[in-house]
Every structure is written in structure tokens, then in C-alpha cells.
Amino acid sequence: MSTTNADILVHAEEGVTTITFNRVEKKNSITTAMYAQLADAFEAAAQDTSVRVVVLQGDVAIFSAGNDIGDFLQQPPATQDAPVFRFLRAIATFPKPVLAAVCGPAVGIGTTLLFHCDLVYAGDNAAFSMPFVNLGLCPEAASSLFAPQMLGYHRAAEALLLGEPFMAEAALEVGFVNRVVPPTECNMVAQAQARKLAAKPLSALIETKRLLKKSQTAAVLERMAEEGQSFGRMLREPAAREAFTAFMDKRRPDFSAC
């Protein structure tokens, strides 16, 4: 079974639901409508007993450039019920295995959503970045909690304070990804692993994931809510306004007064 909403493709086959970012001409940047589609897809897959595994994938050249800035400025997330927060809660609490195949740049939420995946496979061209500070903002998706746990404090501080990319081999070294492969093989590797999981008993998959995540589920949701409040406040402040104006004007931002 497949559903096509142009920018997000959802295909279900033999227990595996594959969700594909399909907006390559815009670097798979994510709009409010796409977040709603992602949330819907995860919520439906959680309830569908025929679905055992979800795979998130992009293109061989780009996973996601993060938020679509123009759309984001027109429709900023005003409440915790905004589609972006619906999606983050859906992936954070998803009871079944989630795999990701990441090639090329994964920017902002393109990286932070991966903290909620169970297995991540990267093309050797993958570049992960969380440049929230550069936009006058703070981390989201509980990345301020996950990044120090996974990367160690100093690497997390470097990634979140400087916002500079770290590459696939560095991600493999710290355990952020499971395997690095040629980009043309990445989606196939993720699909092969998903099929292995889909052949296993669903009850055992769900219970094992629940136990793996039990100690931090409440902390993750609490941190996501706190980050969301800070993010919304900072979005209205001078630093973010200057960052986004500079982005749209294609100039360097001037934070001297921020």
C-alpha cells in the first residue's frame, strides 16, 4: 500500500512502512504540512498491527535541510499542538522499531529526529548539523538531553554551540549511527535490516524497545516541552529576527546588538 502527498511518500509492504522525504528540489526542507503528514503517518503506524517497523529515508544526496525557513516564518509553531511538536511526540513515543537511512546533509531537525530512531544507517556523504544557536534559537527534540548522552559533553557542546557539521565517520565513532555505507546502498541496507526486524515477533520488539527506553521516556518528553517553550520565546526575540532576516536577504547576520 502506498500513499502519495507529493512531499512525503508513505509505502507499506510486508510489515515495513517506509516514509520518504520527497522534496529534493527544496533540499527536503520540511513544511508545516509535511510535519502534519509525518505525524499522521507515525500515529497510523503505531495503531496498525500489520506494521512492525518504520523506515525514514531521503535522497542519496540530501536527507533534510531542516525547517523550510519561508514556511516556518509564515506559520511558526505557536502551541504544543503545532504539527512539528505532534511529529516529535509521535516519533519519541513510537512503540515499534524506527530505522533511518541518511545520506547527504541532515540539518537541524534532520539530525535531532535521529536521536529518536533505534537504528541509523548513513551514507559516507552524510553530514549532521544542529545550527540552532546560529539562528538565535535553542535545541529541540530533546537534543539538549540526548546529545551529551550520546556524543559526550564536549562534543555535544561543540555541535550545539558552534553548530558546525560532523561527518559520517565521526557519527559512527560515537555510536550516533550504526553503519556507514556508500550512499547508493544506504536505503537498501536500512530496508534489509527492517525486513529482518519485521520477521520477528511484534510483541517481543515492542517490549524490548519499551524496556530500553523506560528509564528516560518521561525525561525526554519533559525536556522536549521545555525546549519547545524556550524555542517559541526565542523565536520572537531580536537574535532570531536578525538571523532569519539575514537568511532571507542572503547576507551575514549581525548579532552585535543581540
Side-chain angles (χ1 to χ4, degrees), residues 60-94:
V60 292
I62 178 77
F63 183 66
S64 174
N67 283 318
D68 180 297
I69 299 298
D71 178 86
F72 185 73
L73 293 176
Q74 288 182 345
Q75 303 183 76
T79 70
Q80 289 296 307
D81 292 325
V84 60
F85 296 129
R86 270 187 62 220
F87 162 62
L88 288 175
R89 286 194 299 272
I91 192 172
T93 60
F94 192 72

Side-chain angles (χ1 to χ4, degrees), residues 199-221:
K200 300 181 186 297
L202 180 59
S203 59
L205 293 173
I206 289 175
E207 186 63 10
T208 300
K209 178 168 177 174
R210 185 189 72 81
L211 291 167
L212 279 167
K213 289 187 171 278
K214 181 180 179 181
S215 64
Q216 62 181 13
T217 300
V220 167
L221 294 174

Side-chain angles (χ1 to χ4, degrees), residues 99-174:
L99 282 64
V102 183
C103 298
V107 181
I109 198 166
T111 286
T112 60
L113 69 83
L114 301 173
F115 287 116
H116 302 281
C117 296
D118 302 292
L119 300 172
V120 180
Y121 300 96
D124 58 25
N125 63 341
F128 307 92
S129 61
M130 298 177 283
F132 303 109
V133 165
N134 301 342
L135 294 171
L137 298 170
C138 67
E140 36 80 317
S143 54
S144 64
L145 176 67
F146 279 121
Q149 290 177 352
M150 173 124 355
L151 310 180
Y153 178 81
H154 290 104
R155 290 192 188 189
E158 185 173 52
L160 286 167
L161 293 175
L162 287 172
E164 296 174 351
F166 57 99
M167 309 309 286
E169 290 299 334
L172 181 65
E173 179 187 344
V174 296

